[in-house]
Structure formats: C-alpha cells, structure tokens
Amino acid sequence: MLPTPRWQGWEGRVYEPSEDSFLLMAALEGDAERLRSSRYPSTVPLICLEVGSGSGVISCFVASILGSATSYLTTDINHDAAHCTSVTASLNHVTLQPIITDLVHALLPRLSGSVDLLLFNPPYVVTESSEVGLGDVSSAWAGGARGREVVDRLLPLVASLLSPSGAFYLVCEQHNAPGEVMAWFRDRGFSSSLVNSQRAGTEILSVLRIERSMS
C-alpha cells in the first residue's frame, strides 16, 4: 500500500484516520488503474470532491495516486477539520481546497455534473438524532437512526454532482444496510459494487463504488 499521508493530531477536535479511513484508502489504491482508465477523457478525473474530509488524509492519499492534473476539493461542517485538512495538505505538498459547508450545499449548482470522483467516509454510527450535525468532532461519527441520517441526505445529490463518467465511493457499516444503498442506486440507473469489506472490532465496514452506467 502507498504510504499513509502525514497528519498532525488535533486533540479530539478532528476525526483522526482509523480503520474506516484505511479501508477506503485501500479500496482507492486497488482501483487506481480503474480511476486512471479511459472512462475519463483526460485519463484521470479532473475534479475530486471529498465530503467530510476530517484530517484531509483521504484526499492527500488520492492525490498520491492521481497526481496534480486533478483538482481536489473537500468539505466539512467542522471548522477545525477544514483547518486540519489545510495543514495535512501542506505537510504532504498537495494542493487541496477545503470548504466549510454542510455536505455539498455551498457547491451546488456550480459543480453540477462536474465531479469525476466523489468520496464520502460518513458519520455512520447509530446514535440519537439529536447528536447529528453539531459541527464539532461528533459530526464525523454521529449518524442518527441506522447511522444513515447524513448519508441519506447526500444520496439524492449524487446524481446532480457526478460527471457522465463519475464514480462515488462510500464507506458503510453493517447497520447502515449497504445492500439497500446499492439497490437504491441501481433503481436509479447506476451501477453499484461492493469493493471491499472488513471487520473492525464490533463493526463490519464496507466500501461501495457507485457509477453511472456506461451505455
């Protein structure tokens, strides 16, 4: 596996890389040739958008795969996370553009149909709804009912964001019903695949790949 990007600890203010982060990085590295394939007219995605960047490690890792021809945007509702993402980018000599916003709302409609690679390691832990979206580090893990409240708000926006050749990588935990998420996209004309999965303590984590069907 490619080296994990460097980052600094933020004393409980920002979600630090964990098993879910490393699983997503492994999935992206495993799909590296696919991401550099002829799906993209320029041979690599032109715009990569990570929702909920936290430490910024995922986007920096993708940059080590795809290089500087891709523009890397990140969003996070947590101001500390946006700052941490900037620091991580600097530590790894990568250019990222962190944006403080809820999910992708500051980017629509401007990025409609333009995102070639969309990434989301969401807050997937089952919690009370009152714990969701507080804007601090808990925003990185508190997922509400079935751990799906934040994910379910993004799903209807994916079709608006993705370019014709775009791909969406999503981390899910077993309580999020990943098979249901895949079926939701298939019913709307997307192809969906389970890229990899692993057990992490009491959690069973998966990475899903969602793409527009090429016809």
Side-chain angles (χ1 to χ4, degrees), residues 28-195:
L28 293 165
E29 183 173 14
D31 272 4
E33 290 307 313
R34 184 186 187 93
L35 294 174
R36 293 191 290 250
S37 75
S38 59
R39 283 181 65 91
Y40 302 102
S42 63
T43 73
V44 294
L46 293 178
I47 296 180
C48 174
L49 171 60
E50 181 185 5
V51 180
S53 62
S55 66
V57 164
I58 298 296
S59 286
C60 285
F61 185 81
V62 174
S64 72
I65 296 173
L66 298 179
S68 59
T70 299
S71 295
Y72 302 95
L73 308 177
T74 70
T75 71
D76 208 294
I77 197 173
N78 180 355
H79 288 234
D80 287 330
H83 188 190
C84 184
T85 293
S86 292
V87 172
T88 301
S90 179
L91 287 172
N92 293 279
H93 309 291
V94 172
T95 299
L96 304 181
Q97 299 178 55
I99 298 158
I100 300 168
T101 187
D102 179 20
L103 295 178
V104 296
H105 294 303
L107 300 176
L108 286 172
R110 185 174 37 149
L111 281 187
S112 294
S114 300
V115 176
D116 299 305
L117 181 58
L118 179 64
L119 310 172
F120 194 22
N121 182 9
Y124 57 71
V125 176
V126 177
T127 66
E128 296 295 326
S129 295
S130 59
E131 299 178 53
V132 175
L134 298 181
D136 57 15
V137 68
S138 69
S139 298
W141 51 264
R146 297 200 302 163
R148 282 272 298 274
E149 291 188 23
V150 180
V151 170
D152 284 347
R153 290 176 52 225
L154 181 67
L155 298 191
L157 304 176
V158 172
S160 299
L161 286 164
L162 287 184
S163 69
S165 56
F168 173 38
Y169 287 76
L170 173 69
V171 177
C172 285
E173 201 275 328
Q174 60 178 339
H175 291 96
N176 309 152
E180 182 181 293
V181 174
M182 294 169 70
W184 188 94
F185 277 105
R186 286 173 183 156
D187 288 346
R188 288 156 178 80
F190 289 82
S191 63
S192 59
S193 307
L194 175 64
V195 181

